[in-house]
Short mmCIF file of all heavy atoms in Angstrom, two decimals:
data_model
loop_
_atom_site.label_atom_id
_atom_site.label_comp_id
_atom_site.label_asym_id
_atom_site.label_seq_id
_atom_site.Cartn_x
_atom_site.Cartn_y
_atom_site.Cartn_z
N ARG Y 28 -151.77 186.38 -23.24
CA ARG Y 28 -151.46 185.79 -24.54
C ARG Y 28 -151.09 186.86 -25.56
O ARG Y 28 -151.77 187.87 -25.69
CB ARG Y 28 -152.68 185.03 -25.05
CG ARG Y 28 -152.46 184.36 -26.39
CD ARG Y 28 -153.71 183.75 -26.97
NE ARG Y 28 -154.35 182.84 -26.05
CZ ARG Y 28 -155.50 182.22 -26.31
NH1 ARG Y 28 -156.11 182.43 -27.47
NH2 ARG Y 28 -156.04 181.41 -25.44
N LEU Y 29 -150.01 186.60 -26.29
CA LEU Y 29 -149.65 187.42 -27.43
C LEU Y 29 -150.60 187.07 -28.56
O LEU Y 29 -150.76 185.90 -28.91
CB LEU Y 29 -148.20 187.15 -27.85
CG LEU Y 29 -147.72 187.85 -29.11
CD1 LEU Y 29 -147.76 189.37 -28.96
CD2 LEU Y 29 -146.31 187.39 -29.44
N VAL Y 30 -151.25 188.08 -29.12
CA VAL Y 30 -152.23 187.87 -30.18
C VAL Y 30 -151.64 188.36 -31.50
O VAL Y 30 -151.18 189.49 -31.60
CB VAL Y 30 -153.55 188.62 -29.86
CG1 VAL Y 30 -154.53 188.50 -31.01
CG2 VAL Y 30 -154.15 188.09 -28.57
N ASP Y 31 -151.66 187.49 -32.50
CA ASP Y 31 -151.17 187.84 -33.82
C ASP Y 31 -152.27 188.59 -34.55
O ASP Y 31 -153.21 187.99 -35.08
CB ASP Y 31 -150.77 186.57 -34.57
CG ASP Y 31 -150.16 186.87 -35.94
OD1 ASP Y 31 -149.79 188.04 -36.19
OD2 ASP Y 31 -150.06 185.94 -36.74
N ALA Y 32 -152.16 189.93 -34.53
CA ALA Y 32 -153.19 190.78 -35.13
C ALA Y 32 -152.59 192.14 -35.44
O ALA Y 32 -151.62 192.56 -34.80
CB ALA Y 32 -154.35 190.94 -34.15
N PRO Y 33 -153.18 192.85 -36.39
CA PRO Y 33 -152.75 194.23 -36.62
C PRO Y 33 -153.14 195.06 -35.40
O PRO Y 33 -154.19 194.84 -34.80
CB PRO Y 33 -153.53 194.64 -37.87
CG PRO Y 33 -154.71 193.74 -37.92
CD PRO Y 33 -154.27 192.45 -37.28
N LEU Y 34 -152.30 196.02 -35.06
CA LEU Y 34 -152.52 196.76 -33.81
C LEU Y 34 -153.85 197.52 -33.79
O LEU Y 34 -154.65 197.33 -32.87
CB LEU Y 34 -151.37 197.71 -33.53
CG LEU Y 34 -151.46 198.46 -32.21
CD1 LEU Y 34 -151.41 197.51 -31.02
CD2 LEU Y 34 -150.36 199.50 -32.10
N VAL Y 35 -154.11 198.36 -34.76
CA VAL Y 35 -155.29 199.22 -34.69
C VAL Y 35 -156.57 198.42 -34.93
O VAL Y 35 -157.47 198.41 -34.08
CB VAL Y 35 -155.19 200.40 -35.68
CG1 VAL Y 35 -156.46 201.23 -35.68
CG2 VAL Y 35 -154.00 201.27 -35.32
N GLU Y 36 -156.69 197.77 -36.07
CA GLU Y 36 -157.90 197.02 -36.38
C GLU Y 36 -158.11 195.88 -35.39
O GLU Y 36 -159.24 195.60 -34.96
CB GLU Y 36 -157.86 196.46 -37.80
CG GLU Y 36 -157.84 197.51 -38.88
CD GLU Y 36 -156.42 197.89 -39.31
OE1 GLU Y 36 -155.47 197.77 -38.52
OE2 GLU Y 36 -156.27 198.33 -40.47
N GLY Y 37 -157.02 195.23 -35.01
CA GLY Y 37 -157.11 194.15 -34.04
C GLY Y 37 -157.56 194.63 -32.68
O GLY Y 37 -158.33 193.95 -31.99
N ALA Y 38 -157.09 195.81 -32.28
CA ALA Y 38 -157.50 196.36 -30.98
C ALA Y 38 -159.00 196.62 -30.96
O ALA Y 38 -159.67 196.29 -29.98
CB ALA Y 38 -156.73 197.65 -30.70
N VAL Y 39 -159.51 197.21 -32.02
CA VAL Y 39 -160.95 197.47 -32.08
C VAL Y 39 -161.73 196.16 -32.01
O VAL Y 39 -162.68 196.02 -31.23
CB VAL Y 39 -161.32 198.28 -33.34
CG1 VAL Y 39 -162.84 198.40 -33.49
CG2 VAL Y 39 -160.67 199.66 -33.29
N ALA Y 40 -161.33 195.19 -32.81
CA ALA Y 40 -162.02 193.90 -32.82
C ALA Y 40 -161.93 193.21 -31.45
O ALA Y 40 -162.91 192.64 -30.96
CB ALA Y 40 -161.44 192.99 -33.90
N ALA Y 41 -160.77 193.29 -30.81
CA ALA Y 41 -160.59 192.66 -29.50
C ALA Y 41 -161.48 193.31 -28.45
O ALA Y 41 -162.16 192.61 -27.67
CB ALA Y 41 -159.12 192.74 -29.08
N VAL Y 42 -161.50 194.62 -28.42
CA VAL Y 42 -162.29 195.33 -27.40
C VAL Y 42 -163.79 195.11 -27.64
O VAL Y 42 -164.53 194.84 -26.69
CB VAL Y 42 -161.93 196.82 -27.36
CG1 VAL Y 42 -162.88 197.60 -26.47
CG2 VAL Y 42 -160.49 197.00 -26.87
N VAL Y 43 -164.23 195.19 -28.89
CA VAL Y 43 -165.65 194.96 -29.18
C VAL Y 43 -166.04 193.53 -28.79
O VAL Y 43 -167.08 193.31 -28.15
CB VAL Y 43 -165.95 195.23 -30.67
CG1 VAL Y 43 -167.34 194.72 -31.06
CG2 VAL Y 43 -165.83 196.73 -30.95
N THR Y 44 -165.22 192.57 -29.13
CA THR Y 44 -165.53 191.17 -28.83
C THR Y 44 -165.50 190.91 -27.33
O THR Y 44 -166.39 190.24 -26.78
CB THR Y 44 -164.56 190.24 -29.58
OG1 THR Y 44 -164.63 190.53 -30.98
CG2 THR Y 44 -164.90 188.78 -29.35
N ALA Y 45 -164.50 191.45 -26.65
CA ALA Y 45 -164.43 191.30 -25.19
C ALA Y 45 -165.63 191.96 -24.52
O ALA Y 45 -166.16 191.44 -23.52
CB ALA Y 45 -163.12 191.87 -24.65
N SER Y 46 -166.09 193.09 -25.06
CA SER Y 46 -167.22 193.79 -24.45
C SER Y 46 -168.52 192.99 -24.57
O SER Y 46 -169.45 193.20 -23.81
CB SER Y 46 -167.40 195.18 -25.05
OG SER Y 46 -167.88 195.12 -26.36
N ALA Y 47 -168.55 192.06 -25.52
CA ALA Y 47 -169.72 191.20 -25.68
C ALA Y 47 -169.66 189.99 -24.74
O ALA Y 47 -170.55 189.14 -24.76
CB ALA Y 47 -169.83 190.72 -27.12
N GLY Y 48 -168.61 189.91 -23.93
CA GLY Y 48 -168.49 188.83 -22.96
C GLY Y 48 -167.75 187.61 -23.46
O GLY Y 48 -167.76 186.56 -22.82
N ALA Y 49 -167.10 187.73 -24.60
CA ALA Y 49 -166.38 186.59 -25.18
C ALA Y 49 -165.17 186.21 -24.34
O ALA Y 49 -164.61 187.03 -23.61
CB ALA Y 49 -165.94 186.93 -26.60
N ASP Y 50 -164.76 184.95 -24.48
CA ASP Y 50 -163.57 184.48 -23.77
C ASP Y 50 -162.31 184.85 -24.55
O ASP Y 50 -162.37 185.39 -25.65
CB ASP Y 50 -163.65 182.98 -23.50
CG ASP Y 50 -163.62 182.11 -24.75
OD1 ASP Y 50 -163.36 182.62 -25.87
OD2 ASP Y 50 -163.85 180.89 -24.61
N LEU Y 51 -161.15 184.53 -23.96
CA LEU Y 51 -159.87 184.91 -24.56
C LEU Y 51 -159.67 184.31 -25.94
O LEU Y 51 -159.15 184.98 -26.84
CB LEU Y 51 -158.72 184.53 -23.63
CG LEU Y 51 -157.32 184.92 -24.08
CD1 LEU Y 51 -157.20 186.43 -24.31
CD2 LEU Y 51 -156.29 184.45 -23.06
N ASP Y 52 -160.09 183.07 -26.15
CA ASP Y 52 -159.94 182.46 -27.47
C ASP Y 52 -160.71 183.24 -28.53
O ASP Y 52 -160.20 183.49 -29.63
CB ASP Y 52 -160.41 181.00 -27.46
CG ASP Y 52 -159.47 180.06 -26.72
OD1 ASP Y 52 -158.28 180.40 -26.58
OD2 ASP Y 52 -159.94 179.00 -26.28
N ALA Y 53 -161.93 183.63 -28.22
CA ALA Y 53 -162.76 184.37 -29.17
C ALA Y 53 -162.21 185.78 -29.40
O ALA Y 53 -162.23 186.28 -30.52
CB ALA Y 53 -164.20 184.44 -28.69
N VAL Y 54 -161.71 186.41 -28.35
CA VAL Y 54 -161.13 187.74 -28.48
C VAL Y 54 -159.90 187.68 -29.39
O VAL Y 54 -159.73 188.50 -30.30
CB VAL Y 54 -160.78 188.33 -27.10
CG1 VAL Y 54 -159.94 189.59 -27.22
CG2 VAL Y 54 -162.06 188.61 -26.31
N ALA Y 55 -159.04 186.69 -29.16
CA ALA Y 55 -157.84 186.52 -29.98
C ALA Y 55 -158.22 186.22 -31.43
O ALA Y 55 -157.61 186.77 -32.37
CB ALA Y 55 -156.96 185.41 -29.42
N ALA Y 56 -159.20 185.38 -31.64
CA ALA Y 56 -159.63 185.05 -33.01
C ALA Y 56 -160.18 186.27 -33.73
O ALA Y 56 -159.85 186.52 -34.89
CB ALA Y 56 -160.67 183.93 -32.98
#
C-alpha cells in the first residue's frame, strides 16, 4: 500500500508502530 505520509517522520512512526505488532491499517494511520 502507498501510504500518504511525510517520508522521514512517517517512516519513524511506521517502523515504531509495526514493531509493536500493529497491522497495516494501523501502520498506515
Side-chain angles (χ1 to χ4, degrees):
R28 181 187 306 177
L29 175 61
V30 175
D31 184 15
L34 184 63
V35 176
E36 295 93 333
V39 173
V42 172
V43 168
T44 304
S46 72
D50 65 10
L51 182 58
D52 288 337
V54 169

